[in-house]
Amino acid sequence: MNVNLVKEFMAIVGRELVFADEAERQAYSYDAAVLTPQVPALVVMPETHEQLGKTIKLAYENGLPITVRGAGSNLSGAVIPSSADTVVILTSRLNKIIEINEEDLYAVVEPGVITSVFAEAVSSRGLFYPPDPGSQTVSTLGGNVALNAGGLRGLKYGVTKDYLMGMEFFDYNGDLIKTGSRTVKCVTGYNLSGMMLGSEGTLGIFSQIILKLVPPPKASKALMAVYDDISDASETVAAIIAAHILPCTLEILDRKCLTYIEAHTRAGLPVEAAAILLIEVDGSHIQAVEEDACKVMELCKKCGSKDIRTAKDADEKNRLWEARRNALPALARARPTTVLEDATVPRSKVPAMVAAVNRIAQKYNLEIGTFGHAGDGNLHPTILCDRRNKEEFKRVEDAVDEIFDAALNLQGTLSGEHGIGMAKAKWMEKETNRATINFSKNLRLALDPKYLFNAGKKIL
Amino acid sequence: MNGKTKKRTSLPQLTKQLMAIDDRLAGCMHCGLCQAVCPVYGVTLKEADVSRGKIVLLENLAYELLKDADGVGEKLDRCLLCGSCRSNCPSGVDTVEIFLHARRLITDYRGLGKIKKTVFRFILPHPGLMSFFVAFSGRFQRFFRRKANKSMGTFEFPILRPFAGKRHFQPLATKSFSAEYGKINTSAGKSGIKVAFFPGCVPDKLFVRIAQASMKAFEKNGVGVFMPGSLVCCGIPNLVSGDYVSFKRLVKTNLGLLKKAEFDYLVSPCATCVSSIKENWFRYRDDFTDDERRQIEEIHGKAMDITAFLIDVLNVEFKTSGSETCKRRVTYHDSCHLKKTLGIYAQPRNILKNLSGLEFVEMPEADRCCGSGGSFTLTQHKLANQIGQRKRNCVVSINPDIVAAACPACMLQLMDMLSQNGDSVEVKHVVELYADSLGR
Ligand SMILES: Cc1cc2nc3c(=O)[nH]c(=O)nc-3n(C[C@H](O)[C@H](O)[C@H](O)COP(=O)(O)OP(=O)(O)OC[C@H]3O[C@@H](n4cnc5c(N)ncnc54)[C@H](O)[C@@H]3O)c2cc1C
Ligand code: SF4
Ligand code: SF4
């Protein structure tokens, strides 16, 4: 990049927070998706809102593509620069928790605050911020909002969307836009936060986010149910919801996945089973929670589970969850490359989706373990491979395409929580239609006339 | 940079060597979860400072997507090799092994700096020389030092600034432990156990009181001790700087000395030494002679940290006096080498919780790296200070009288950080507190 321009960026944030050298820039060419990297031209790390606004303005005026990056933990290539002239803007130093309001149950944060750091700060004040993506120890709240991240607690507590009350963001001019408020109700102006939610860095850059907080549950109870037939597990899920019980988590692990976990942990998991469900109910009264747990157990039994294990105390609960916690580590260790997919279907279609995944695995001769949020129909078929093996990786790509097809055929969606990014942009029209793509494009061009905000992502 | 020796490998050679470890690099799935625990990333928030970044840079170097090997070398230097990322990695990537190996390759490419070369190749392998330096600086240090923190008894050494910045040290001992004790060879007492004592450089030369406390613990428990007079450094500073040649020489010297007597365990109060002996000597065992390899394998099974030895082997009992009126608050810092490499975290706590006169309190982030990493503290002192400041804040947040650790390298860092901040918290080795409880 032109030296004078680099100097102008340095004048905004200081010499130390502009990275121009090759090695440093290469570290911003990738994210957690298994895709081809692209090295940016420059990386800028603003420390204040003012610096952020000026950085955007300068880049935009000079016609440079802009990719804003949080922790870079997304799985859809959402922060891989689109071209070699891209400026990557980092939010990691915009990481202050500005306010946690215990009376009015909200918090105001900067976008670079790490999810679990925030959740702990909230918890230390006796409150609860439920969205807990598996990457929460590193992911940023800005990234969570821009991808509408979910997590294990989606069924009962919802996803990031359900906690977004308002925000401030910069448009392409570097002007600050304010939307939403600290109030539970707010109909002032357009719901711009709703528009920015899940926008994947394509419409503007958040500088401040207002999030809703809730009182924490006081009691919880966990159990594990083992199934010989995966349809029984799915029936259980339907039965639980039909009985008007909303577990806070309802996770499924398929046989393949159990086999890998057992090989890794030797914890004595039922590897013969077709699937297991891990269920946790919570609430504010211990007695009510116990009752719910009993009812859930009955339903598990009724739907065909012969082996149900409950946790009596925190230690035992921890052990029950061990299997779920080890799902990714076990799968990830089996082969060099781990492709984490995100196909999501209506709850009742979970068995059909798992069957489809297994069929696809066989067809392409691939190892795929599936776990996921059964209560949300959000599955993570995880393909184990070696990206360096071109022939094998071609099969992986074909299999991924077919998994999308299968999900769409079951009236599901391309992505439940990982986002569209670069990985799935070409599929958007298939799930929606041409008019939807055109509408989205028009919206995008109205807010970003030069098409510089995270080009090549989300909408093509 | 000046003071570099001639380049030894060419860039194409380096590329080829890195390609040979491509399998290990490919194990990283780029999830980024290492950001949560990396102490360096914790202060800089730069991707090139976290394992994921460094692994990608090495890959790019291997695949010739990057030519700037010196730049990658600089990034690799900004790492404590603390292993925090390794123990947290869902993919089980042995980052420490990768970084050690890569440093060795890159050092072969760009050469070792002059200062490091003198220290590693000349001073560390010669215990006599090292002790001479200690004796010399110990005796004359009053001319060079400035009192830093009265209540902690630490000093700053302006003369050492080029190496150590304005770090606060405890005064050097006038006589090293090994110089004072010479060779030790006592037979097993009531425990029936005999240990080889590996004091480690810092307890031998700086915190002699740790080595003395260890001896007292052995003696009171009827443990026989073998210590050849002139053990040299375990080799970790050399290895982490990529100087494999001198690492190997040190290991060989130590092996020769340790061959001279039989022992059941090799015990050290230095977590870094234990992990170096158990992990690094063992890792490179195939580069030694058959006899040496066998000896390394045997020692691998016998090497033990002193807190684990006290609890797991000796099963020491604690006197309960129960009725102290004022207990001193003690907290514990987990050394990375102890918890993350050796899996030892319960034993030191067990000791501290059982010592009378102490009230044990857990500090926040007890197992977060303190920023002390041998030469890291010397070459990256600004980073080391920033990392240490976070640790210091955690320590003082619970207002303890004493912070205990089981690694002298961490103790140096803790002492420095607390002293720089003007705090009055005592820094003690767990074995010192244990020895104090044994009476005279
Ligand atoms: C092991 C693992 C487990 C995961 N588990 C889950 C899970 O359970 N649920 C889930 O939903 N996801 C999960 N993810 C995916 C990912 O972690 C989340 O999507 C997370 O929200 C990404 O946050 P980030 O800070 O890493 O954002 P990044 O990856 O840096 O960026 C993500 C997107 O946000 C945009 N962005 C970032 N900051 C801003 C800003 N200030 N303004 C505007 N746009 C911005 C970026 O441009 C990009 O489009 C997982 C990932 C991994 C590696
Ligand atoms: S945690 Fe492990 S797999 Fe994930 S990026 Fe770091 S080193 Fe790679
Ligand atoms: S070894 Fe420690 S300092 Fe080095 S990358 Fe891993 S966590 Fe960071």
Side-chain angles (χ1 to χ4, degrees), chain A residues 345-366:
Chain A
V345 291
R347 266 195 292 267
S348 62
K349 303 277 172 57
V350 166
M353 191 62 210
V354 173
V357 169
N358 288 338
R359 187 176 40 71
I360 294 165
Q362 221 160 27
K363 174 169 169 195
Y364 291 99
N365 188 21
L366 291 168

Side-chain angles (χ1 to χ4, degrees), chain A residues 29 32 85 93 100 124 138 152 204-205 214 241 247 252-253 267 271 279 336 340 358 362 372 377 414 425:
Chain A
S29 62
D85 55 348
R93 281 190 192 267
I100 294 179
S124 76
V138 299
L152 296 184
I205 300 184
V214 295
I241 288 160
I252 191 164
L253 304 169
V271 287
I279 309 169
L340 256 173
N358 288 338
Q362 221 160 27
L414 291 172

Side-chain angles (χ1 to χ4, degrees), chain B residues 383-415:
Chain B
L383 272 178
N385 261 338
Q386 289 171 306
I387 298 169
Q389 188 63 31
R390 177 163 172 174
K391 176 79 349 177
R392 174 265 168 192
N393 293 347
C394 286
V395 172
V396 300
S397 75
I398 52 152
N399 204 10
D401 298 304
I402 306 167
V403 52
C407 181
C410 298
M411 289 172 64
L412 269 173
Q413 171 78 341
L414 289 168
M415 210 171 263

Side-chain angles (χ1 to χ4, degrees), chain A residues 218-238:
Chain A
K218 296 201 176 61
S220 70
K221 187 103 187 145
L223 61 96
M224 173 171 123
V226 184
Y227 294 89
D228 294 334
D229 184 341
I230 194 160
S231 310
D232 292 346
S234 179
E235 227 170 81
T236 310
V237 173

